[in-house]
Coordinates of all heavy atoms in Angstrom, one line a residue:
M188 N 0.8 -1.2 0.0 CA 0.0 0.0 0.0 C 0.9 1.3 0.0 O 2.0 1.3 0.6 CB -0.9 0.0 1.3 CG -2.4 -0.2 1.1 SD -3.1 0.5 -0.4 CE -4.7 1.0 0.3
T189 N 0.4 2.3 -0.6 CA 1.1 3.5 -0.7 C 0.9 4.4 0.5 O -0.2 4.5 1.0 CB 0.5 4.3 -1.9 OG1 0.7 3.5 -3.1 CG2 1.2 5.6 -2.1
T190 N 1.9 4.9 1.1 CA 1.8 6.0 2.1 C 1.6 7.3 1.4 O 2.4 7.6 0.5 CB 3.0 6.0 3.0 OG1 3.2 4.7 3.6 CG2 2.8 7.0 4.1
A191 N 0.6 8.1 1.8 CA 0.4 9.4 1.2 C 0.0 10.4 2.3 O -0.4 10.0 3.4 CB -0.7 9.3 0.2
V192 N 0.2 11.6 2.0 CA -0.1 12.7 2.9 C -1.5 13.2 2.6 O -1.8 13.5 1.5 CB 0.9 13.9 2.8 CG1 0.6 15.0 3.8 CG2 2.3 13.4 3.0
C193 N -2.4 13.4 3.6 CA -3.7 13.9 3.4 C -3.5 15.4 3.0 O -2.9 16.2 3.7 CB -4.5 13.8 4.7 SG -6.1 14.7 4.6
F194 N -4.1 15.8 1.9 CA -4.0 17.1 1.4 C -4.7 18.1 2.3 O -4.4 19.3 2.2 CB -4.6 17.2 0.0 CG -6.1 17.1 0.0 CD1 -6.9 18.3 0.0 CD2 -6.7 15.9 0.0 CE1 -8.3 18.2 0.0 CE2 -8.1 15.8 0.0 CZ -8.9 16.9 0.0
Q195 N -5.5 17.7 3.1 CA -6.3 18.6 4.0 C -5.7 18.8 5.4 O -5.6 19.9 5.8 CB -7.8 18.2 4.1 CG -8.6 19.1 4.9 CD -10.1 18.9 4.6 OE1 -10.6 19.4 3.6 NE2 -10.8 18.2 5.5
C196 N -5.4 17.7 6.0 CA -4.9 17.8 7.4 C -3.5 17.4 7.6 O -2.9 17.7 8.7 CB -5.8 17.0 8.4 SG -5.6 15.3 8.3
G197 N -2.8 16.9 6.6 CA -1.4 16.5 6.7 C -1.1 15.2 7.4 O 0.0 14.8 7.5
H198 N -2.2 14.5 7.8 CA -2.0 13.2 8.4 C -1.5 12.2 7.3 O -1.8 12.2 6.2 CB -3.4 12.7 8.8 CG -3.5 11.4 9.5 ND1 -2.9 11.2 10.8 CD2 -4.0 10.2 9.2 CE1 -3.1 10.0 11.2 NE2 -3.8 9.4 10.2
L199 N -0.6 11.3 7.8 CA -0.1 10.2 6.8 C -1.2 9.1 6.8 O -1.6 8.6 7.8 CB 1.2 9.6 7.3 CG 2.4 10.5 7.2 CD1 3.7 9.8 7.5 CD2 2.6 11.2 5.8
K200 N -1.6 8.8 5.5 CA -2.7 7.8 5.3 C -2.2 6.8 4.3 O -1.1 7.0 3.7 CB -3.9 8.5 4.9 CG -3.7 9.3 3.6 CD -5.0 9.9 3.1 CE -4.8 10.5 1.7 NZ -6.0 10.9 1.0
F201 N -3.0 5.8 4.0 CA -2.7 4.8 3.0 C -3.4 5.1 1.7 O -4.7 5.1 1.8 CB -2.9 3.4 3.6 CG -2.0 3.0 4.6 CD1 -2.3 3.0 6.0 CD2 -0.6 2.7 4.3 CE1 -1.4 2.6 6.9 CE2 0.3 2.4 5.3 CZ -0.1 2.3 6.6
G202 N -2.7 5.2 0.6 CA -3.4 5.3 -0.7 C -3.7 6.8 -0.9 O -4.4 7.4 -0.2
S203 N -3.2 7.3 -2.1 CA -3.3 8.7 -2.4 C -4.8 9.1 -2.5 O -5.1 10.2 -2.1 CB -2.7 9.0 -3.8 OG -1.3 8.8 -3.7
F204 N -5.6 8.3 -3.0 CA -7.0 8.7 -3.3 C -8.0 8.1 -2.3 O -9.2 8.2 -2.5 CB -7.4 8.3 -4.7 CG -6.4 8.8 -5.8 CD1 -5.8 8.0 -6.7 CD2 -6.2 10.2 -5.8 CE1 -4.9 8.5 -7.6 CE2 -5.3 10.7 -6.8 CZ -4.7 9.8 -7.7
M205 N -7.5 7.5 -1.2 CA -8.4 7.0 -0.2 C -8.8 8.0 0.8 O -8.0 9.0 1.0 CB -7.7 5.8 0.5 CG -7.3 4.6 -0.4 SD -8.7 4.0 -1.4 CE -9.4 2.9 -0.1
P206 N -9.9 7.9 1.4 CA -10.3 8.9 2.4 C -9.3 8.9 3.6 O -8.8 7.8 4.0 CB -11.7 8.4 2.9 CG -12.1 7.4 1.9 CD -10.9 6.8 1.3
C207 N -9.1 10.0 4.2 CA -8.2 10.2 5.3 C -8.9 9.6 6.6 O -10.0 9.9 6.8 CB -7.9 11.6 5.5 SG -6.9 12.0 7.0
D208 N -8.1 8.8 7.3 CA -8.8 8.2 8.5 C -8.8 9.2 9.7 O -9.4 9.0 10.7 CB -8.1 6.9 9.0 CG -6.6 7.0 9.1 OD1 -6.1 8.1 9.0 OD2 -6.0 6.0 9.3
Q209 N -8.2 10.3 9.5 CA -8.2 11.4 10.5 C -9.3 12.4 10.3 O -10.1 12.7 11.2 CB -6.8 12.1 10.5 CG -6.6 13.2 11.5 CD -5.9 12.5 12.8 OE1 -5.8 11.3 12.8 NE2 -5.5 13.4 13.7
C210 N -9.4 12.9 9.1 CA -10.4 14.0 8.8 C -11.4 13.6 7.8 O -12.3 14.3 7.4 CB -9.7 15.3 8.3 SG -9.0 15.2 6.7
Q211 N -11.3 12.3 7.3 CA -12.3 11.8 6.3 C -12.3 12.5 5.0 O -13.1 12.1 4.1 CB -13.8 11.8 6.9 CG -14.1 10.5 7.7 CD -13.4 10.5 9.0 OE1 -13.6 11.5 9.8 NE2 -12.7 9.5 9.3
A212 N -11.4 13.4 4.7 CA -11.4 14.1 3.4 C -10.8 13.1 2.4 O -9.9 12.3 2.7 CB -10.5 15.3 3.5
R213 N -11.4 13.1 1.2 CA -10.7 12.5 0.1 C -10.7 13.4 -1.1 O -11.7 14.2 -1.3 CB -11.4 11.1 -0.2 CG -12.7 11.1 -0.9 CD -13.1 9.7 -1.2 NE -14.5 9.4 -1.1 CZ -15.3 9.2 -2.1 NH1 -14.8 9.2 -3.3 NH2 -16.5 8.9 -1.9
P214 N -9.7 13.4 -1.9 CA -9.5 14.4 -3.0 C -10.6 14.2 -4.0 O -10.9 13.1 -4.4 CB -8.1 14.1 -3.5 CG -7.8 12.7 -3.1 CD -8.5 12.4 -1.8
R215 N -11.2 15.3 -4.5 CA -12.2 15.3 -5.5 C -11.9 16.1 -6.7 O -12.1 15.7 -7.8 CB -13.5 15.7 -4.9 CG -14.1 14.7 -3.9 CD -15.4 15.3 -3.3 NE -15.9 14.3 -2.3 CZ -16.7 13.3 -2.6 NH1 -17.0 13.1 -3.9 NH2 -17.1 12.5 -1.7
T216 N -11.3 17.3 -6.5 CA -10.9 18.1 -7.7 C -9.6 17.6 -8.2 O -8.8 16.9 -7.5 CB -10.8 19.6 -7.3 OG1 -9.6 19.7 -6.4 CG2 -12.0 20.1 -6.5
D217 N -9.3 17.9 -9.5 CA -8.1 17.5 -10.1 C -6.9 18.0 -9.3 O -5.9 17.3 -9.1 CB -8.0 18.1 -11.5 CG -8.8 17.3 -12.5 OD1 -9.5 16.4 -12.1 OD2 -8.7 17.5 -13.7
D218 N -6.9 19.3 -8.8 CA -5.8 19.8 -8.1 C -5.6 19.0 -6.8 O -4.4 18.8 -6.4 CB -6.0 21.3 -7.8 CG -5.7 22.1 -9.0 OD1 -5.2 21.6 -10.0 OD2 -6.1 23.3 -9.0
E219 N -6.6 18.7 -6.1 CA -6.5 17.9 -4.9 C -5.9 16.6 -5.2 O -5.1 16.0 -4.4 CB -7.9 17.8 -4.2 CG -8.4 19.1 -3.6 CD -9.8 19.1 -3.1 OE1 -10.5 18.0 -3.4 OE2 -10.3 20.0 -2.5
M220 N -6.4 16.0 -6.3 CA -5.9 14.6 -6.6 C -4.4 14.7 -7.0 O -3.7 13.8 -6.7 CB -6.7 14.1 -7.7 CG -8.1 13.7 -7.3 SD -8.9 12.5 -8.4 CE -10.6 13.0 -8.2
I221 N -4.0 15.7 -7.8 CA -2.6 15.8 -8.2 C -1.8 16.0 -6.9 O -0.7 15.4 -6.8 CB -2.4 17.0 -9.2 CG1 -3.1 16.6 -10.5 CG2 -1.0 17.3 -9.4 CD1 -3.3 17.7 -11.5
A222 N -2.2 16.9 -6.0 CA -1.4 17.1 -4.8 C -1.3 15.8 -4.0 O -0.2 15.4 -3.5 CB -2.1 18.1 -3.9
S223 N -2.4 15.0 -4.0 CA -2.4 13.7 -3.2 C -1.5 12.7 -3.9 O -0.8 11.9 -3.2 CB -3.8 13.2 -3.1 OG -4.7 14.1 -2.5
L224 N -1.6 12.7 -5.2 CA -0.7 11.8 -6.0 C 0.8 12.1 -5.7 O 1.6 11.2 -5.5 CB -1.1 11.9 -7.5 CG -0.3 11.0 -8.4 CD1 -0.7 9.6 -8.3 CD2 -0.5 11.5 -9.9
A225 N 1.1 13.4 -5.8 CA 2.5 13.8 -5.6 C 3.0 13.5 -4.2 O 4.1 13.0 -4.1 CB 2.6 15.3 -5.9
M226 N 2.2 13.7 -3.2 CA 2.6 13.6 -1.8 C 2.5 12.1 -1.4 O 1.8 11.8 -0.4 CB 1.8 14.5 -0.9 CG 2.1 16.0 -1.2 SD 1.4 17.0 0.1 CE -0.4 16.7 -0.1
S227 N 3.2 11.2 -2.1 CA 3.1 9.8 -1.7 C 4.5 9.2 -1.8 O 5.4 9.8 -2.3 CB 2.1 9.1 -2.7 OG 2.8 8.9 -3.9
D228 N 4.6 8.0 -1.3 CA 6.0 7.4 -1.2 C 6.4 6.8 -2.6 O 7.5 6.3 -2.7 CB 6.1 6.3 -0.1 CG 5.1 5.2 -0.3 OD1 4.4 5.1 -1.3 OD2 5.1 4.3 0.6
H229 N 5.6 7.0 -3.6 CA 6.0 6.8 -5.0 C 7.1 7.8 -5.4 O 8.0 7.5 -6.2 CB 4.9 6.9 -6.0 CG 4.0 5.7 -6.0 ND1 4.4 4.5 -6.5 CD2 2.7 5.6 -5.7 CE1 3.4 3.6 -6.4 NE2 2.4 4.2 -5.9
Y230 N 7.0 9.0 -4.8 CA 7.8 10.1 -5.3 C 8.8 10.6 -4.2 O 9.8 11.2 -4.5 CB 7.0 11.3 -5.8 CG 6.1 10.8 -6.9 CD1 4.7 10.7 -6.8 CD2 6.7 10.6 -8.2 CE1 3.9 10.3 -7.8 CE2 5.8 10.2 -9.2 CZ 4.5 10.0 -9.0 OH 3.7 9.6 -10.1
F231 N 8.4 10.5 -2.9 CA 9.2 11.1 -1.8 C 9.4 10.1 -0.7 O 8.5 9.2 -0.5 CB 8.4 12.3 -1.3 CG 8.3 13.4 -2.3 CD1 7.1 13.7 -2.9 CD2 9.4 14.2 -2.6 CE1 6.9 14.7 -3.8 CE2 9.2 15.2 -3.6 CZ 8.0 15.4 -4.2
D232 N 10.5 10.2 0.0 CA 10.7 9.3 1.1 C 9.9 9.8 2.4 O 9.4 10.9 2.4 CB 12.2 9.2 1.4 CG 12.9 10.5 1.8 OD1 12.2 11.5 2.0 OD2 14.1 10.5 1.8
Q233 N 9.9 8.9 3.3 CA 9.0 9.1 4.5 C 9.3 10.4 5.2 O 8.4 11.2 5.5 CB 9.2 7.9 5.5 CG 8.3 7.9 6.7 CD 7.0 7.3 6.5 OE1 6.8 6.6 5.4 NE2 6.1 7.4 7.4
P234 N 10.6 10.7 5.5 CA 10.9 12.0 6.2 C 10.3 13.2 5.4 O 9.8 14.2 6.0 CB 12.4 12.1 6.3 CG 12.9 10.7 6.2 CD 11.8 10.0 5.3
T235 N 10.4 13.2 4.1 CA 9.9 14.3 3.3 C 8.4 14.4 3.4 O 7.8 15.4 3.5 CB 10.4 14.1 1.8 OG1 11.8 13.9 1.8 CG2 10.0 15.3 1.0
L236 N 7.7 13.2 3.4 CA 6.3 13.2 3.5 C 5.9 13.8 4.8 O 4.9 14.5 4.9 CB 5.8 11.7 3.4 CG 5.9 11.1 2.0 CD1 5.4 9.7 2.0 CD2 5.3 11.9 0.9
E237 N 6.6 13.4 5.9 CA 6.3 14.0 7.2 C 6.5 15.5 7.2 O 5.7 16.2 7.8 CB 7.2 13.3 8.3 CG 6.6 11.9 8.6 CD 7.6 11.1 9.4 OE1 8.6 11.6 9.9 OE2 7.4 9.9 9.6
Q238 N 7.5 16.0 6.5 CA 7.7 17.4 6.5 C 6.5 18.1 5.7 O 6.0 19.2 6.1 CB 9.0 17.8 5.7 CG 10.2 17.7 6.6 CD 11.5 17.8 5.7 OE1 11.5 18.3 4.6 NE2 12.6 17.4 6.3
M239 N 6.0 17.4 4.7 CA 4.9 18.0 3.9 C 3.7 18.0 4.8 O 2.9 19.0 4.8 CB 4.6 17.1 2.7 CG 5.7 17.3 1.6 SD 5.5 16.0 0.3 CE 6.4 16.8 -1.0
G240 N 3.5 16.9 5.6 CA 2.3 16.9 6.5 C 2.4 18.0 7.5 O 1.4 18.6 7.8
Q241 N 3.6 18.3 8.0 CA 3.8 19.3 8.9 C 3.5 20.7 8.3 O 2.8 21.5 8.9 CB 5.3 19.4 9.4 CG 5.6 20.3 10.5 CD 6.2 19.5 11.7 OE1 6.9 18.5 11.4 NE2 5.9 19.9 12.9
Y242 N 3.9 20.9 7.1 CA 3.6 22.1 6.3 C 2.1 22.3 6.2 O 1.6 23.4 6.4 CB 4.3 22.0 4.9 CG 4.1 23.3 4.1 CD1 5.1 24.2 4.1 CD2 2.9 23.5 3.4 CE1 5.0 25.4 3.3 CE2 2.8 24.7 2.7 CZ 3.8 25.6 2.6 OH 3.6 26.7 1.9
I243 N 1.4 21.3 5.9 CA -0.1 21.4 5.7 C -0.7 21.8 7.1 O -1.6 22.6 7.1 CB -0.7 20.1 5.2 CG1 -0.2 19.9 3.8 CG2 -2.2 20.1 5.3 CD1 -0.5 18.5 3.2
Q244 N -0.2 21.2 8.2 CA -0.8 21.5 9.5 C -0.5 23.0 9.8 O -1.3 23.6 10.4 CB -0.1 20.6 10.6 CG -0.8 19.2 10.6 CD 0.0 18.2 11.4 OE1 0.8 18.5 12.3 NE2 -0.1 16.9 11.0
E245 N 0.6 23.5 9.4 CA 1.0 24.9 9.7 C 0.3 25.9 8.8 O -0.1 27.0 9.2 CB 2.5 25.1 9.7 CG 3.2 24.5 10.9 CD 4.7 24.4 10.7 OE1 5.2 24.9 9.7 OE2 5.3 23.7 11.5
H246 N 0.1 25.5 7.5 CA -0.3 26.5 6.5 C -1.8 26.2 6.1 O -2.4 27.0 5.4 CB 0.6 26.5 5.3 CG 2.0 26.9 5.6 ND1 2.9 26.1 6.1 CD2 2.6 28.1 5.5 CE1 4.1 26.7 6.4 NE2 3.9 28.0 6.0
G247 N -2.3 25.0 6.3 CA -3.6 24.7 5.9 C -3.7 24.4 4.4 O -4.8 24.4 3.9
A248 N -2.6 24.2 3.8 CA -2.6 23.9 2.3 C -1.3 23.2 2.0 O -0.3 23.3 2.7 CB -2.6 25.2 1.5
P249 N -1.3 22.3 1.0 CA -0.1 21.6 0.6 C 1.0 22.5 0.1 O 0.7 23.6 -0.5 CB -0.6 20.7 -0.5 CG -2.1 20.7 -0.5 CD -2.5 22.0 0.1
P250 N 2.2 22.1 0.3 CA 3.3 22.9 -0.3 C 3.2 23.0 -1.8 O 2.8 22.0 -2.4 CB 4.6 22.2 0.1 CG 4.2 20.8 0.6 CD 2.7 20.9 0.9
R251 N 3.5 24.1 -2.4 CA 3.4 24.2 -3.9 C 4.6 23.4 -4.6 O 5.7 23.4 -4.1 CB 3.5 25.7 -4.3 CG 2.3 26.5 -4.0 CD 2.2 27.7 -4.8 NE 1.9 27.4 -6.2 CZ 0.7 27.1 -6.7 NH1 -0.3 27.1 -5.9 NH2 0.5 26.8 -8.0
L252 N 4.2 22.7 -5.6 CA 5.2 22.0 -6.4 C 5.9 23.0 -7.3 O 5.2 24.0 -7.7 CB 4.5 21.0 -7.3 CG 3.8 19.8 -6.5 CD1 2.9 19.1 -7.4 CD2 4.8 18.9 -5.9
D253 N 7.1 22.8 -7.7 CA 7.7 23.6 -8.7 C 7.1 23.3 -10.0 O 6.6 22.2 -10.2 CB 9.2 23.5 -8.7 CG 9.7 22.1 -9.2 OD1 9.8 21.9 -10.4 OD2 9.8 21.2 -8.3
P254 N 7.0 24.3 -11.0 CA 6.3 24.1 -12.2 C 6.7 22.9 -13.0 O 5.8 22.2 -13.6 CB 6.6 25.4 -13.0 CG 7.0 26.4 -12.0 CD 7.7 25.6 -10.9
E255 N 7.9 22.5 -13.0 CA 8.4 21.3 -13.7 C 7.8 20.0 -13.1 O 7.2 19.2 -13.9 CB 9.9 21.2 -13.8 CG 10.5 22.0 -14.9 CD 9.9 21.8 -16.2 OE1 9.9 20.6 -16.7 OE2 9.4 22.8 -16.9
S256 N 7.9 19.9 -11.8 CA 7.3 18.7 -11.2 C 5.8 18.7 -11.3 O 5.2 17.6 -11.6 CB 7.6 18.7 -9.7 OG 8.9 19.1 -9.4
E257 N 5.2 19.8 -11.2 CA 3.7 19.9 -11.3 C 3.3 19.4 -12.7 O 2.3 18.7 -12.8 CB 3.3 21.4 -11.1 CG 2.0 21.7 -11.8 CD 0.9 22.1 -10.9 OE1 1.1 22.7 -9.9 OE2 -0.3 21.7 -11.2
K258 N 4.1 19.7 -13.7 CA 3.8 19.2 -15.1 C 3.8 17.7 -15.1 O 3.0 17.1 -15.7 CB 4.8 19.8 -16.1 CG 4.1 20.7 -17.2 CD 5.1 21.2 -18.2 CE 5.6 22.6 -17.8 NZ 6.7 23.0 -18.6
V259 N 4.9 17.1 -14.5 CA 5.0 15.7 -14.5 C 3.9 15.0 -13.8 O 3.3 14.1 -14.3 CB 6.4 15.3 -13.9 CG1 6.5 13.8 -13.7 CG2 7.5 15.8 -14.7
F260 N 3.6 15.5 -12.6 CA 2.5 14.9 -11.8 C 1.1 15.1 -12.5 O 0.3 14.2 -12.5 CB 2.4 15.6 -10.4 CG 3.5 15.2 -9.5 CD1 4.3 16.2 -8.9 CD2 3.9 13.9 -9.3 CE1 5.4 15.9 -8.1 CE2 4.9 13.6 -8.5 CZ 5.7 14.6 -7.9
R261 N 0.9 16.2 -13.2 CA -0.3 16.4 -13.9 C -0.4 15.4 -15.0 O -1.5 14.8 -15.3 CB -0.4 17.8 -14.4 CG -1.8 18.3 -14.9 CD -1.9 19.8 -15.1 NE -1.9 20.5 -13.9 CZ -3.0 20.8 -13.2 NH1 -4.2 20.4 -13.7 NH2 -3.0 21.5 -12.1
R262 N 0.7 15.1 -15.7 CA 0.7 14.2 -16.8 C 0.4 12.8 -16.3 O -0.4 12.0 -16.8 CB 2.0 14.2 -17.6 CG 1.9 13.6 -19.0 CD 3.1 14.1 -19.8 NE 4.3 13.8 -19.2 CZ 5.4 14.6 -19.1 NH1 5.3 15.7 -19.7 NH2 6.5 14.2 -18.5
N263 N 1.1 12.4 -15.2 CA 0.8 11.1 -14.6 C -0.6 10.9 -14.2 O -1.2 9.9 -14.4 CB 1.7 10.9 -13.3 CG 3.2 10.7 -13.7 OD1 3.5 10.5 -14.8 ND2 4.0 10.7 -12.6
F264 N -1.2 12.0 -13.6 CA -2.5 12.0 -13.2 C -3.5 11.8 -14.4 O -4.4 11.0 -14.3 CB -2.9 13.3 -12.4 CG -4.3 13.4 -12.1 CD1 -4.9 12.5 -11.2 CD2 -5.1 14.3 -12.7 CE1 -6.3 12.6 -10.9 CE2 -6.5 14.4 -12.4 CZ -7.0 13.6 -11.5
E265 N -3.2 12.5 -15.4 CA -4.1 12.4 -16.6 C -4.0 11.0 -17.2 O -5.0 10.4 -17.6 CB -3.6 13.4 -17.7 CG -3.8 14.8 -17.4 CD -5.2 15.3 -17.2 OE1 -6.1 14.6 -17.7 OE2 -5.4 16.3 -16.6
E266 N -2.9 10.3 -17.0 CA -2.8 8.9 -17.5 C -3.6 8.0 -16.6 O -4.3 7.1 -17.1 CB -1.3 8.5 -17.5 CG -0.5 8.9 -18.7 CD 1.0 8.7 -18.5 OE1 1.4 7.9 -17.7 OE2 1.7 9.4 -19.3
I267 N -3.5 8.2 -15.3 CA -4.3 7.4 -14.4 C -5.8 7.6 -14.7 O -6.6 6.7 -14.7 CB -4.0 7.8 -12.9 CG1 -2.6 7.4 -12.6 CG2 -5.0 7.1 -12.0 CD1 -2.1 7.9 -11.2
K268 N -6.2 8.9 -14.9 CA -7.6 9.2 -15.2 C -8.0 8.5 -16.5 O -9.1 8.0 -16.5 CB -7.8 10.7 -15.2 CG -9.1 11.2 -14.9 CD -9.2 12.6 -14.4 CE -9.1 13.6 -15.6 NZ -9.6 14.9 -15.2
A269 N -7.2 8.6 -17.5 CA -7.5 8.1 -18.8 C -7.7 6.6 -18.7 O -8.4 6.0 -19.5 CB -6.5 8.5 -19.8
S270 N -6.9 5.9 -17.8 CA -7.0 4.5 -17.7 C -8.3 3.9 -17.1 O -8.6 2.8 -17.2 CB -5.8 4.0 -16.9 OG -6.1 4.2 -15.5
G271 N -9.1 4.9 -16.5 CA -10.3 4.4 -15.9 C -10.2 3.9 -14.5 O -11.2 3.6 -13.9
A272 N -8.9 3.9 -14.0 CA -8.7 3.3 -12.7 C -9.4 4.1 -11.6 O -9.9 3.6 -10.6 CB -7.2 3.3 -12.4
L273 N -9.5 5.4 -11.8 CA -10.1 6.3 -10.8 C -11.6 6.0 -10.7 O -12.2 6.0 -9.6 CB -9.9 7.8 -11.2 CG -8.5 8.3 -10.8 CD1 -8.5 9.8 -11.1 CD2 -8.3 8.2 -9.3
N274 N -12.3 5.9 -11.9 CA -13.7 5.7 -11.9 C -14.0 4.4 -11.1 O -15.0 4.4 -10.3 CB -14.2 5.6 -13.3 CG -14.1 6.9 -14.0 OD1 -13.9 7.9 -13.4 ND2 -14.2 6.8 -15.3
Q275 N -13.2 3.4 -11.4 CA -13.4 2.1 -10.7 C -13.2 2.3 -9.2 O -14.1 1.8 -8.4 CB -12.4 1.1 -11.2 CG -12.8 -0.3 -11.1 CD -11.7 -1.2 -11.7 OE1 -10.7 -0.8 -12.1 NE2 -12.0 -2.5 -11.6
L276 N -12.2 3.0 -8.8 CA -11.9 3.2 -7.4 C -13.1 4.0 -6.7 O -13.6 3.6 -5.6 CB -10.7 4.0 -7.2 CG -10.3 4.4 -5.8 CD1 -9.9 3.2 -5.0 CD2 -9.1 5.4 -5.8
Y277 N -13.6 5.0 -7.4 CA -14.7 5.8 -6.8 C -16.0 5.0 -6.8 O -16.8 5.2 -5.8 CB -14.8 7.1 -7.6 CG -13.8 8.1 -7.0 CD1 -12.8 8.6 -7.9 CD2 -13.8 8.5 -5.7 CE1 -11.8 9.5 -7.4 CE2 -12.9 9.4 -5.2 CZ -11.9 9.8 -6.0 OH -10.9 10.7 -5.5
E278 N -16.2 4.2 -7.7 CA -17.4 3.4 -7.7 C -17.4 2.5 -6.4 O -18.4 2.3 -5.7 CB -17.6 2.5 -8.9 CG -18.4 3.2 -10.0 CD -18.2 2.6 -11.4 OE1 -18.0 1.3 -11.4 OE2 -18.2 3.3 -12.4
E279 N -16.2 1.9 -6.2 CA -16.1 1.0 -5.0 C -16.3 1.8 -3.7 O -16.9 1.4 -2.8 CB -14.7 0.4 -5.0 CG -14.6 -0.8 -6.0 CD -13.2 -1.3 -6.3 OE1 -12.3 -1.0 -5.5 OE2 -13.0 -1.9 -7.3
L280 N -15.7 3.0 -3.7 CA -15.8 3.8 -2.5 C -17.2 4.3 -2.3 O -17.7 4.4 -1.1 CB -14.9 5.1 -2.6 CG -13.4 4.8 -2.4 CD1 -12.6 6.0 -2.7 CD2 -13.1 4.3 -1.0
D281 N -17.9 4.7 -3.3 CA -19.3 5.2 -3.2 C -20.3 4.1 -2.8 O -21.3 4.4 -2.2 CB -19.7 5.8 -4.5 CG -19.0 7.2 -4.7 OD1 -18.6 7.8 -3.7 OD2 -18.9 7.6 -5.9
E282 N -19.9 2.9 -3.0 CA -20.8 1.8 -2.6 C -20.8 1.5 -1.1 O -21.7 1.0 -0.5 CB -20.4 0.5 -3.3 CG -21.1 0.4 -4.7 CD -20.5 -0.7 -5.6 OE1 -19.9 -1.6 -5.0 OE2 -20.6 -0.6 -6.8
T283 N -19.7 2.0 -0.5 CA -19.5 1.7 1.0 C -20.2 2.7 1.8 O -20.4 3.8 1.4 CB -18.1 1.5 1.3 OG1 -17.3 2.6 0.9 CG2 -17.5 0.3 0.7
Ligands
LIG413 ZN1 -6.9 14.3 6.7

């Protein structure tokens, strides 16, 4: 399972697109999903994720990505979206 940072409260949770077990938020907009995708152990190590979580707790928003990384994450996200994997995930979540 992926470790990811909650885009809303900074809590470390499992799975970028899964609901946070702390604040129950799950990403819905593209920007929230890209932030959630980026802030995972696919891209960053645990100490960095913890720093990002701390940043969110202090600022109430995820740290901004530099434009180059943002482009890469946006492209990755578009690929995931195009694959239909998200729709499947959300159908499963909505049923529970
Ligand atoms: Zn949360």
Side-chain angles (χ1 to χ4, degrees):
M188 251 323 219
T189 303
T190 303
V192 182
C193 172
F194 69 96
Q195 181 161 282
C196 75
H198 183 69
L199 290 188
K200 58 174 186 171
F201 289 106
S203 296
F204 304 125
M205 300 304 279
C207 173
D208 51 7
Q209 186 92 350
C210 71
Q211 271 74 53
R213 72 175 144 110
R215 288 174 182 279
T216 68
D217 280 8
D218 283 347
E219 288 169 355
M220 289 200 213
I221 290 165
S223 303
L224 180 71
M226 295 188 296
S227 73
D228 63 3
H229 282 291
Y230 302 106
F231 298 104
D232 58 14
Q233 185 88 9
T235 308
L236 294 179
E237 282 167 11
Q238 278 171 21
M239 289 170 161
Q241 189 123 31
Y242 183 97
I243 293 172
Q244 281 165 26
E245 285 165 11
H246 298 82
R251 287 203 69 82
L252 298 163
D253 66 89
E255 274 312 302
S256 318
E257 155 117 35
K258 238 183 267 175
V259 173
F260 289 126
R261 193 168 287 273
R262 199 163 53 222
N263 288 351
F264 173 68
E265 295 296 342
E266 280 169 18
I267 294 172
K268 206 157 76 162
S270 75
L273 279 182
N274 294 343
Q275 205 178 3
L276 176 69
Y277 277 115
E278 271 164 33
E279 282 165 21
L280 285 173
D281 286 337
E282 276 167 21
T283 54

